[in-house]
Amino acid sequence: MIKLSIPDMSCGHCAGVITKTVKELDQDAVIAFDMPARTALLNTTAAQERIVASLADAGYPATVAR
């Protein structure tokens, strides 16, 4: 499980882009969004560093949240 803080995420479109980006790295990833908190919880086998880099490339810089 990876919890990401994604400050620029604000709507369903954002969640769709984030989902598509993560699924390109891991088709089987499961993602849960908390829009008010602007976080995403990912159950994935993809490397955390690759996910963060791919999201930044997609326009959604993210940091690992604790």
Side-chain angles (χ1 to χ4, degrees):
M1 283 290 195
I2 303 168
K3 184 176 183 180
L4 297 177
S5 173
I6 311 171
D8 294 339
M9 177 180 70
S10 62
C11 66
H13 172 76
C14 300
V17 172
I18 292 163
T19 298
K20 180 177 181 270
T21 302
V22 172
K23 293 275 190 176
E24 287 174 355
L25 301 173
D26 176 10
Q27 285 182 328
D28 298 322
V30 177
I31 307 163
F33 294 99
D34 182 343
M35 289 295 182
R38 297 184 185 213
T39 61
L41 188 61
L42 286 64
N43 187 356
T44 180
T45 58
Q48 175 178 297
E49 297 80 14
R50 286 188 67 206
I51 293 170
V52 169
S54 293
L55 289 175
D57 289 346
Y60 293 94
T63 56
V64 176
R66 302 274 178 225

